[in-house]
Amino acid sequence: MTKQLKQPNLRIIPLGGLGEVGRNMTLLEWQEKILIIDMGFRMPEEDMPGVDYIIPNIDYLKNKKEKILGIVFTHGHYDHIGAVPYLLEKISTPNRQLPMFASPLTKGIILKRQEDFSRQAKLKINQVYDGSKIKLGPFFVEFFKQLHNIPDNLGLFIETPLGNILHTSDFKFDQNPVNDLPTNFEKLKEISKRKILLLMSDSTDAEEEGHSLSEKEISENLEKIFKIAPGRIIAATFASLLNRVQQIISISEKYGRKVCLEGYSMRTNVEMSKLLGYIKAKRETFIKAKDVQNHPDSNVVILGTGAQGENEAVLMRITIGGHRFLKIKKGDTVIFSSSVIPGNERTVQIMKDEIMRQGAKIFHYKMMDIHAGGHAKSEELKEMLKIMHPKFFMPIHGQYSMLVAHSQLAKEKGMEEKNVLVAENGNIINLNQKRIFIEKEKVLSNYVMIDGLGIGDVGQVVLRDRQMLAEDGMFVVVVIVDRQTGRVKGSPDIISRGFVYLRESKELLRDTRKRVIGIVERATGTGGAVNWSYIKDEIRNKIGQFLFSRTQRRPMVLPVVIEV
Amino acid sequence: MTKQLKQPNLRIIPLGGLGEVGRNMTLLEWQEKILIIDMGFRMPEEDMPGVDYIIPNIDYLKNKKEKILGIVFTHGHYDHIGAVPYLLEKISTPNRQLPMFASPLTKGIILKRQEDFSRQAKLKINQVYDGSKIKLGPFFVEFFKQLHNIPDNLGLFIETPLGNILHTSDFKFDQNPVNDLPTNFEKLKEISKRKILLLMSDSTDAEEEGHSLSEKEISENLEKIFKIAPGRIIAATFASLLNRVQQIISISEKYGRKVCLEGYSMRTNVEMSKLLGYIKAKRETFIKAKDVQNHPDSNVVILGTGAQGENEAVLMRITIGGHRFLKIKKGDTVIFSSSVIPGNERTVQIMKDEIMRQGAKIFHYKMMDIHAGGHAKSEELKEMLKIMHPKFFMPIHGQYSMLVAHSQLAKEKGMEEKNVLVAENGNIINLNQKRIFIEKEKVLSNYVMIDGLGIGDVGQVVLRDRQMLAEDGMFVVVVIVDRQTGRVKGSPDIISRGFVYLRESKELLRDTRKRVIGIVERATGTGGAVNWSYIKDEIRNKIGQFLFSRTQRRPMVLPVVIEV
C-alpha cells in the first residue's frame, strides 16, 4: 500500500478559532507534510481567574517537527500571531527554525512582541506582499491583499495537489478605506477564475445583517465631533486598530490639533508603524503628556488605549486620577472608538459614568457611527461566496453560532448542504475533489492556559480551587497535638482570608476552636492508634459544615495537624 | 427657632437606584417625618465574588425608627422589594411593624419571598389599587396604574405640604399590552392638572431612541415562531417577567400546545399569579416535565428560566444534560425572550453555541423583536415630561449616564437647567416651591453586601482577599521551630491551592522549603531574642518574591510559625 492510497485526501485540522473568537491556528496536511496558518491566542473566559491567555494545544504536532513545512501569517493581530512565543520553540528543532512568512507590518509586530521573550532565539521571518508566491512542499501559496482594521492583511490562495483553497483571513470589503486602496474586486475575480475547491471564510460578523460601515463614514462622523468639541478630545481605542489610530491622527492634523499618544502599546505600535510607513503623520503633530497643559485645550487630542475599561489602560488611569499628568476635566470630549467586547459592558458603563461625573461629554459607538468592525457582514460574506463560487465551503473564525449563520448564507446562495461543512476545533477534515467530511477521530484541541511563566500548568483543578477561593475564601486550621497524651496543645490557630471579617467574628472563631479540639481529642482519646488523616478529614468536614450552618458560606477548609 | 424654620424644605434622600440599576429606595422627609418608597436590592458587580446581593445602607434611619411613617411599594420586582427581609426588622420596633402598602400582586411576591426567612415575624401589608388614596403623616399618596413588564405596577402621586410629587415607578407606555388595559393617558392628564412640583421619572432606557415596542408586536413575532416550529418550543425568560410568561402561555393555548413550566421561581410565580388572577390560563394547559415525552413534540412548550445563562436555571440544565427529564434535541426551537443583562453576554453565547451543537434552532431578541423591555424610551419619556409639565425634574432609576441622558431630554423639552437636577445616592435633595438643590452634607449610601447569612460583614478587605485568592491562589507555609536551638524541625509543610499543580511542581516546592529554612535559621541564629513577627514578614516577602520570580504569579503567602 503506498502512502498515496493511505492518505488520498487533503486534511485540514483547525486547532483553534472555530467555535470561539480568537486563538486562530489551522493545519493543512498532505501526505504528512504540514503547513500551518496563523498561531494566535485568545483571552480567558470569566471563570478562569488569573489566566493571561489561552493558546492552541499542539499535541498533534509533537512528533511531527520534521514534517512541518512552515507557518504563514495572515495579519498582525494577536489572535493570529500571539501564540508564537509560546509554541514556536516546541515545534522547531535545534538546527532549524521553522520557515515563517508574513507581511512587513505583521513581521514587525511579531518581532516587537518577541522582545518581551528575550531568552528566545531571534526569529527570522520572510517578508511577503500582495501578490507574493511561495512554494512550501506540495503547497503553492499566493498572498493577496484583504482589507481589515489593521494594514497589511493578506488572504491566502493555496494550490494543493487536490485543488485550490481560498482562505480569506479576517476581512471586510471597503470602497473607501483610510489611507489605503479600496477592495480590489477585479483581483478577487481573477483569483476565482482559477477555480476554488474550498473557501474558508471569516465568520465573525456572519450574524450581522447588511454591510459593514465604510471607514469613510466613520471619518465623517469623527470629524463632526472634532468640529464641535470645545476643549480637549480624548479618543480611546485599541492599539491594534491601526486604521482607526491613523484616522484620528489625520483628522487631528486637519483640525490643527496636537496628538498626545498615551499607553505603552499605543506608542510602540504607532512608532513601529510609522517606521514601516503604515502610519503617516507629521513629526510635529505629536506632543508629550507633560506638555499637554502648554497647549490650548481646543488644540489637543489625547489618543490612548482603554476603550474596554481595562484597569491598567490610559483611559481608566485618566478617569480615576491615576495618571501623572492627565485627568478628565469639564469641557473634555471623550470618544470611545471601538465596540465593547462581550463581557466588558459593566466595566465600560462604570467608567463612562465616572467620566460624565467629572463633566466630560462622551461619544460612543451606540450613539453615532464612530467605529466600524473589521469584519464582513452577511451581505459582504454572500458577495465573497458569489465571487469565489467554491465547490466546498467551510466557515472559519467565530463562535459556533456564527459559523452556523455563515453556513446558512452559503446555502442561501445555492450551495448544497453536503458541500457546506461546519467544523470545530480538533476535527480532522478530509477534502478531495468529490467531497468534504469530518473523520471520526479527533485531535486534542483543548485550552492550554498561560499564567505568568506557566504554559499549560493551570488546569481544571487549579481553576476550580481559584473559583472556590474567590467565592467564600479559605480557612486554615492549625492544631498541635501532643503525641503522647493525644491532647491539643494550646489553642488551635486559625488563618482565614476572604471569608468573614475576622475581628468581628470572635465568637465564631471561639466556637470553631472548641469544636476542633473536640474533634481531635475524640479521635485520639480512643486509646488505639491515631489515624491522622481521619482527623484531618473530620476537621475539614465537620468544621466546613459548622461554618456553613453559621454563615451559609463554604470557605475552603484546610486542616494542618502537627504532632509534637 | 421652630422646627418649621429649621427645615423649611422637603428633603428627598435616594439611598439606592441613582447611578446604578437596581437597589431602589428613596426617602421623603418633611419635618422629620419620613416616607419610604421601595426597598430593593441589586446584583453584585463582577469584582465581588461570593456576594449574593447588594442592599441600601440605612444608617441614616438608625435612630429615626419612630419617625418613619411607612413604606409604599411601586411593584413586585426584586430591585424594588428585595431588601425587605434584610432591612425591615432594623427599622421596625418590637411593638410596631412599619405600615406597608402594595398592590395585591406586589404584596403576594413580598410575602412569598418572606417564606424563605421563616425566622422573621409574619408581615402585614395593606393592599392598594389603581386610584387608592392613603394618608401617611403629612403625605397624601394616590396610587395610579402604570404599565411595565409585571402586572399591578403603581405610580405615585404624592401631595406634600409644599406641592405635589409624581413618581412614575418603572414604566412604559403601551397602547396594546397583553391581558391588560392600554396606558390611560386621560388619567395621567387629569393628575397633571393638579400641578406637579417635582417629577421623578424612570431613566433606565433614557439613552434609547424612539418608543419601546408594544407587547402586541412581540406577540405577533412570537406567533410567527409558533407557526413554523416543527418540534418542541423551549422558551426562556425571567420568572419575574410575568407579562411575557402570560403571552407565551396564551399563544401556546392558541396553537394547541401544552406548557411545561420549569424552574422553581417560574412555577411559584405563575402559581401565585394565577391564584391572584394576574395570569389567565386553562388548568389543562399545564403538563409536568416527566410527561413531556407523552405528547407529540409539536404540541409542547417548555417555559422556563435561564435566558441569561444562569448556571442553576432550567435552560442551562437542559443544555448541559443536567435535567432529569429534559434535554435539547434536533428539531427543538429555543426562544430567548429577554435581553441579555450586561455582563452575561459571554455566558449566553456559550450556551447558545451548545444548544445549536445539539441541533436546535435559536431565536433571540437581536434576530427578531421577541422581547421588549419594560422601560419607556426617550420619546415616551418626553411624552411623560410633556404631560406632567413639572416645575422641577429629577431623573431616577439608572446609571449616571442614563440620568444625564434623561436630564437632557427635559432640557430639550424646554426645562431650565436650574430646575433639572441630576442627583446621586446619598444626596440630600432640598425642595421648595422656588428651587431644588443638593445639600453639602451627604448620608451614607455605600454598598451593603449580603453573603449567605451575613449582612454587611463582607467589606473591601474581604473582597480584596477574595480577588487575590482568585488570581493566583494561596500558599501556606507551616514551619516548626525548636525554641531552644532555633533550628527548623523537619521539613516545612506547604499547603497551596489555586497556584500551581503541586504534583508537577516538586522542584519549586523543594527550593521553597530550602529558602524557608534559610530565612528562619538566619533570623534565629543571631543569638539575640527571636522576633517571630519579623520571621513571618520575611517568609511572606521573600517567599512571595521567590515564587514570583519562578512563576510570575503572586499567590497569597501565609506563614505559620510554630515554636515547640
Side-chain angles (χ1 to χ4, degrees):
Chain A
M1 209 154 71
T2 68
K3 269 192 181 170
Q4 193 89 24
L5 280 172
K6 247 177 71 192
Q7 193 191 55
N9 297 330
L10 184 80
R11 286 152 56 103
I12 303 165
I13 306 174
L15 294 180
L18 266 61
E20 65 186 333
V21 171
R23 198 169 69 120
N24 296 291
M25 179 169 177
T26 303
L27 314 179
L28 287 195
E29 186 174 356
W30 170 255
Q31 294 183 348
E32 302 199 335
K33 293 290 178 196
I34 298 167
L35 172 67
I36 299 175
I37 302 171
D38 287 336
M39 195 177 269
F41 68 48
R42 57 168 289 182
M43 304 311 283
E45 303 281 359
E46 279 149 40
D47 58 355
M48 303 172 185
V51 174
D52 303 326
Y53 313 112
I54 304 169
I55 58 171
N57 184 328
I58 55 165
D59 217 57
Y60 178 75
L61 296 173
K62 216 185 225 167
N63 299 314
K64 301 190 177 69
K65 283 180 193 172
E66 318 293 341
K67 294 163 184 167
I68 306 172
L69 302 162
I71 313 174
V72 292
F73 293 97
T74 55
H75 63 287
H77 281 158
Y78 282 173
D79 55 336
H80 294 260
I81 62 153
V84 170
Y86 309 108
L87 297 182
L88 189 66
E89 284 192 342
K90 292 184 198 272
I91 51 174
S92 296
T93 55
N95 312 320
R96 169 188 180 250
Q97 181 217 294
L98 279 185
M100 297 165 82
F101 301 86
S103 66
L105 181 61
T106 308
K107 174 182 171 180
I109 294 172
I110 295 173
L111 294 181
K112 180 83 211 165
R113 178 131 194 279
Q114 214 59 20
E115 290 172 13
D116 298 339
F117 297 80
S118 50
R119 194 188 48 73
Q120 299 192 2
K122 208 165 153 25
L123 294 187
K124 197 181 155 306
I125 300 175
N126 305 290
Q127 291 198 161
V128 289
Y129 311 86
D130 183 26
S132 292
K133 293 175 196 176
I134 59 169
K135 181 178 182 310
L136 280 165
F139 302 108
F140 288 85
V141 183
E142 181 175 337
F143 298 85
F144 63 97
K145 187 177 170 70
Q146 283 273 73
L147 292 176
H148 184 36
N149 46 21
I150 186 170
D152 235 8
N153 175 43
L154 297 170
L156 312 170
F157 173 81
I158 306 170
E159 286 182 36
T160 81
L162 284 182
N164 301 327
I165 295 178
L166 193 116
H167 183 292
T168 62
S169 176
D170 284 349
F171 82 102
K172 66 171 179 173
F173 291 146
D174 195 344
Q175 310 280 24
N176 293 290
V178 182
N179 274 4
D180 209 336
L181 296 170
T183 299
N184 187 345
F185 287 102
E186 286 315 306
K187 175 69 183 285
L188 293 179
K189 281 174 194 157
E190 183 275 311
I191 290 175
S192 76
K193 278 188 196 136
R194 293 183 252 161
K195 280 241 155 73
I196 308 300
L197 182 64
L198 171 67
L199 173 64
M200 299 167 76
S201 183
D202 174 18
S203 312
T204 313
D205 268 356
E207 291 179 301
E208 305 293 324
E209 284 174 20
H211 287 269
S212 64
L213 286 166
S214 167
E215 290 298 327
K216 195 182 169 200
E217 293 176 61
I218 308 299
S219 280
E220 287 167 1
N221 283 323
L222 286 171
E223 282 204 33
K224 280 182 200 158
I225 300 173
F226 272 71
K227 274 180 197 154
I228 58 166
R232 305 183 306 180
I233 289 175
I234 301 171
T237 188
F238 286 108
S240 59
L241 276 183
L242 283 170
N243 292 0
R244 184 83 55 248
V245 170
Q246 169 75 71
Q247 223 167 10
I248 290 167
I249 293 172
S250 300
I251 300 172
S252 301
E253 290 182 341
K254 180 169 170 187
Y255 286 85
R257 286 181 184 252
K258 300 288 183 191
V259 176
C260 164
L261 290 174
E262 274 297 290
Y264 175 78
S265 58
M266 183 64 83
R267 270 197 304 266
T268 52
N269 269 12
V270 170
E271 220 163 85
M272 185 188 52
S273 305
K274 269 167 58 189
L275 218 64
L276 296 173
Y278 290 95
I279 278 196
K280 290 172 186 70
K282 296 177 202 148
R283 176 187 290 268
E284 65 269 24
T285 297
F286 298 102
I287 58 173
K288 295 217 166 85
K290 67 177 172 56
D291 299 324
V292 162
Q293 53 175 358
N294 303 328
H295 296 265
D297 287 349
S298 59
N299 287 1
V300 168
V301 170
I302 295 156
L303 175 54
T305 52
Q308 301 297 317
E310 303 95 321
N311 256 328
E312 299 302 319
V314 177
L315 189 55
M316 186 61 97
R317 285 191 282 126
I318 295 180
T319 303
I320 62 172
H323 194 286
R324 201 166 150 208
F325 300 109
L326 304 171
K327 56 180 172 217
I328 304 285
K329 60 181 186 182
K330 215 176 148 88
D332 284 348
T333 300
V334 180
I335 301 175
F336 284 74
S337 188
S338 81
S339 55
V340 178
I341 293 177
N344 293 348
E345 291 81 359
R346 287 289 315 150
T347 323
V348 171
Q349 174 69 50
I350 291 167
M351 187 172 63
K352 271 165 51 184
D353 282 357
E354 197 44 46
I355 291 170
M356 292 179 87
R357 280 195 188 96
Q358 295 172 36
K361 204 169 159 53
I362 288 181
F363 289 90
H364 57 82
Y365 77 109
K366 279 193 178 171
M367 297 162 63
M368 201 174 182
D369 289 329
I370 48 178
H371 173 69
H375 303 276
K377 298 192 177 182
S378 49
E379 289 306 314
E380 291 154 86
L381 294 174
K382 285 197 253 179
E383 182 73 17
M384 181 61 96
L385 279 156
K386 191 178 151 197
I387 294 171
M388 292 305 159
H389 195 67
K391 173 143 186 191
F392 300 109
F393 173 59
M394 177 179 148
I396 57 171
H397 302 173
Q399 296 286 149
Y400 194 78
S401 67
M402 300 164 189
L403 304 180
V404 170
H406 203 176
S407 76
Q408 297 294 350
L409 297 177
K411 290 172 204 165
E412 278 175 41
K413 293 305 282 182
M415 290 193 70
E416 280 181 74
E417 178 103 33
K418 69 178 173 55
N419 293 346
V420 176
L421 188 83
V422 175
E424 294 225 61
N425 293 334
N427 283 158
I428 303 172
I429 296 128
N430 277 245
L431 176 71
N432 60 41
Q433 276 132 355
K434 297 231 174 70
R435 65 190 198 110
I436 188 166
F437 63 95
I438 296 172
E439 278 184 29
K440 267 208 190 117
E441 239 173 288
K442 288 187 74 167
V443 312
L444 280 179
S445 65
N446 57 300
Y447 287 170
V448 174
M449 289 178 246
I450 306 285
D451 179 359
L453 296 182
I455 303 179
D457 64 337
V458 170
Q460 285 315 313
V461 177
V462 173
L463 278 187
R464 207 176 336 111
D465 284 346
R466 286 183 185 176
Q467 288 158 9
M468 266 194 75
L469 289 167
E471 278 297 305
D472 287 321
M474 55 114 182
F475 197 90
V476 180
V477 178
V478 184
V479 53
I480 303 172
V481 185
D482 186 316
R483 203 188 316 247
Q484 316 262 267
T485 63
R487 305 297 300 256
V488 172
K489 293 188 74 167
S491 181
D493 242 337
I494 287 171
I495 303 160
S496 173
R497 294 286 187 281
F499 168 49
V500 290
Y501 193 51
L502 289 183
R503 281 197 207 163
E504 289 171 5
S505 312
K506 294 215 168 105
E507 196 190 317
L508 179 71
L509 297 181
R510 202 184 50 227
D511 292 354
T512 306
R513 286 199 184 91
K514 234 183 264 171
R515 265 156 213 268
V516 170
I517 294 172
I519 290 167
V520 174
E521 299 192 347
R522 257 197 310 282
T524 56
T526 56
V530 176
N531 183 339
W532 297 103
S533 88
Y534 167 78
I535 291 180
K536 281 192 191 181
D537 284 347
E538 280 285 287
I539 293 176
R540 194 179 296 113
N541 297 335
K542 294 260 167 71
I543 297 303
Q545 282 160 22
F546 171 68
L547 294 175
F548 181 74
S549 74
R550 282 289 193 88
T551 63
Q552 302 270 316
R553 298 178 198 170
R554 297 192 187 282
M556 193 184 272
V557 177
L558 298 163
V560 180
V561 181
I562 296 164
E563 314 158 59
V564 292
Chain B
M1 209 152 72
T2 68
K3 271 190 178 169
Q4 192 88 27
L5 280 171
K6 251 177 72 192
Q7 193 191 56
N9 297 330
L10 184 80
R11 286 150 56 102
I12 303 165
I13 306 174
L15 294 180
L18 267 60
E20 65 186 332
V21 172
R23 198 170 69 119
N24 297 289
M25 180 169 176
T26 303
L27 313 180
L28 288 195
E29 186 175 356
W30 170 255
Q31 294 186 346
E32 304 200 335
K33 294 290 177 196
I34 299 168
L35 172 67
I36 300 175
I37 302 170
D38 286 337
M39 197 177 266
F41 68 47
R42 56 168 290 180
M43 304 311 284
E45 303 280 359
E46 279 149 42
D47 58 356
M48 302 173 185
V51 174
D52 303 323
Y53 313 111
I54 305 169
I55 59 171
N57 183 328
I58 54 163
D59 217 57
Y60 178 74
L61 295 173
K62 215 187 228 166
N63 299 312
K64 301 191 179 68
K65 283 180 194 173
E66 318 294 339
K67 294 163 183 166
I68 305 171
L69 302 163
I71 313 173
V72 291
F73 294 97
T74 56
H75 63 287
H77 280 156
Y78 282 173
D79 54 336
H80 293 260
I81 61 152
V84 170
Y86 308 110
L87 297 182
L88 188 66
E89 284 193 340
K90 291 184 199 271
I91 50 174
S92 295
T93 55
N95 312 320
R96 171 188 177 249
Q97 182 218 293
L98 278 185
M100 297 166 83
F101 301 86
S103 65
L105 180 62
T106 307
K107 175 182 170 180
I109 295 172
I110 295 173
L111 293 181
K112 180 84 210 162
R113 179 132 193 276
Q114 213 61 19
E115 290 171 12
D116 298 340
F117 297 79
S118 50
R119 194 188 49 73
Q120 299 191 3
K122 206 164 154 29
L123 294 188
K124 197 181 153 311
I125 301 175
N126 305 290
Q127 291 198 163
V128 289
Y129 311 86
D130 183 27
S132 292
K133 291 173 195 176
I134 59 169
K135 182 178 184 308
L136 279 165
F139 302 109
F140 288 85
V141 182
E142 180 175 338
F143 298 85
F144 63 97
K145 188 178 168 68
Q146 283 273 72
L147 291 176
H148 185 37
N149 46 23
I150 186 170
D152 233 9
N153 176 43
L154 297 170
L156 312 170
F157 173 79
I158 306 171
E159 285 182 37
T160 80
L162 285 180
N164 300 326
I165 295 178
L166 193 118
H167 183 294
T168 63
S169 176
D170 285 349
F171 82 101
K172 67 170 178 172
F173 292 147
D174 195 342
Q175 311 279 26
N176 294 291
V178 183
N179 274 7
D180 209 337
L181 297 169
T183 298
N184 187 345
F185 287 102
E186 286 316 305
K187 175 70 184 286
L188 293 177
K189 279 173 194 158
E190 184 274 313
I191 289 175
S192 77
K193 277 186 196 138
R194 292 184 253 162
K195 280 243 156 66
I196 307 299
L197 182 65
L198 171 67
L199 173 65
M200 300 168 76
S201 182
D202 175 17
S203 311
T204 313
D205 267 357
E207 291 180 302
E208 306 294 322
E209 285 173 21
H211 287 269
S212 64
L213 286 167
S214 167
E215 291 298 327
K216 195 183 167 195
E217 292 176 62
I218 308 300
S219 280
E220 286 166 4
N221 283 322
L222 286 171
E223 283 204 33
K224 280 182 198 157
I225 300 173
F226 272 70
K227 275 180 198 154
I228 58 168
R232 303 183 307 180
I233 289 176
I234 301 171
T237 188
F238 286 108
S240 60
L241 277 182
L242 282 171
N243 291 0
R244 183 84 53 248
V245 170
Q246 169 73 72
Q247 223 166 13
I248 291 167
I249 293 172
S250 300
I251 300 173
S252 301
E253 290 182 343
K254 180 169 171 186
Y255 286 85
R257 284 180 184 252
K258 300 287 182 191
V259 177
C260 165
L261 290 174
E262 274 297 290
Y264 174 77
S265 58
M266 183 63 83
R267 268 198 305 264
T268 52
N269 269 10
V270 170
E271 219 163 88
M272 183 187 50
S273 304
K274 269 169 57 192
L275 218 61
L276 296 173
Y278 290 95
I279 279 196
K280 291 175 186 67
K282 296 177 201 147
R283 176 187 288 268
E284 65 269 24
T285 296
F286 299 102
I287 57 173
K288 294 218 166 85
K290 68 177 170 55
D291 298 326
V292 161
Q293 54 176 358
N294 302 330
H295 296 265
D297 286 350
S298 59
N299 287 3
V300 168
V301 170
I302 295 157
L303 175 54
T305 53
Q308 302 296 316
E310 303 96 320
N311 256 328
E312 299 302 319
V314 177
L315 189 55
M316 186 63 95
R317 285 191 282 128
I318 295 179
T319 303
I320 62 173
H323 194 286
R324 201 165 151 209
F325 300 110
L326 303 170
K327 56 181 172 215
I328 304 284
K329 60 181 187 182
K330 214 175 150 90
D332 283 348
T333 300
V334 180
I335 302 175
F336 285 73
S337 187
S338 82
S339 55
V340 178
I341 292 177
N344 293 348
E345 290 81 358
R346 288 288 314 150
T347 322
V348 172
Q349 174 69 52
I350 291 166
M351 186 172 63
K352 270 164 52 183
D353 284 357
E354 198 44 47
I355 290 171
M356 291 178 86
R357 281 194 188 97
Q358 295 171 35
K361 202 166 161 55
I362 287 181
F363 289 91
H364 57 82
Y365 77 109
K366 278 192 178 169
M367 297 162 64
M368 201 175 184
D369 290 329
I370 48 177
H371 174 70
H375 303 275
K377 297 193 177 182
S378 50
E379 289 306 315
E380 290 153 88
L381 294 173
K382 284 198 254 178
E383 182 72 16
M384 181 62 96
L385 280 155
K386 191 177 153 201
I387 293 172
M388 293 302 158
H389 195 67
K391 171 143 189 192
F392 300 111
F393 172 59
M394 177 179 149
I396 56 171
H397 303 174
Q399 297 286 149
Y400 193 78
S401 67
M402 300 163 189
L403 304 180
V404 170
H406 202 175
S407 76
Q408 298 293 349
L409 297 177
K411 290 172 202 163
E412 278 176 40
K413 292 305 283 182
M415 289 194 71
E416 280 183 72
E417 178 103 34
K418 68 178 172 57
N419 293 346
V420 176
L421 187 84
V422 175
E424 294 226 60
N425 293 335
N427 283 160
I428 302 173
I429 296 128
N430 277 245
L431 175 71
N432 59 42
Q433 274 132 0
K434 298 232 174 68
R435 66 190 197 109
I436 188 167
F437 64 95
I438 295 172
E439 275 184 34
K440 266 206 190 120
E441 240 173 284
K442 288 187 73 169
V443 311
L444 282 180
S445 65
N446 58 298
Y447 286 170
V448 173
M449 290 177 244
I450 305 286
D451 180 356
L453 295 183
I455 302 180
D457 65 336
V458 170
Q460 286 315 312
V461 177
V462 173
L463 278 186
R464 208 178 334 111
D465 284 346
R466 287 184 184 175
Q467 288 157 11
M468 267 193 74
L469 289 167
E471 277 298 304
D472 287 323
M474 55 110 178
F475 196 89
V476 180
V477 179
V478 184
V479 52
I480 303 171
V481 185
D482 186 316
R483 205 188 314 247
Q484 316 262 269
T485 63
R487 304 296 300 256
V488 172
K489 292 189 74 166
S491 181
D493 240 339
I494 287 171
I495 303 160
S496 174
R497 293 286 187 282
F499 168 50
V500 292
Y501 194 50
L502 291 182
R503 280 196 209 163
E504 287 170 7
S505 312
K506 294 217 169 102
E507 197 190 317
L508 180 71
L509 297 182
R510 201 182 53 228
D511 291 355
T512 306
R513 286 199 184 91
K514 234 184 261 169
R515 266 155 215 266
V516 171
I517 295 172
I519 290 167
V520 174
E521 297 193 347
R522 257 197 310 284
T524 56
T526 56
V530 175
N531 183 340
W532 298 103
S533 89
Y534 167 79
I535 292 181
K536 281 192 190 181
D537 283 348
E538 280 286 288
I539 293 176
R540 194 178 296 115
N541 297 334
K542 296 258 166 73
I543 296 303
Q545 283 160 24
F546 170 68
L547 295 175
F548 182 74
S549 75
R550 282 288 193 86
T551 63
Q552 301 272 315
R553 299 177 200 173
R554 296 191 187 284
M556 195 184 270
V557 177
L558 297 164
V560 180
V561 181
I562 297 165
E563 314 157 60
V564 291

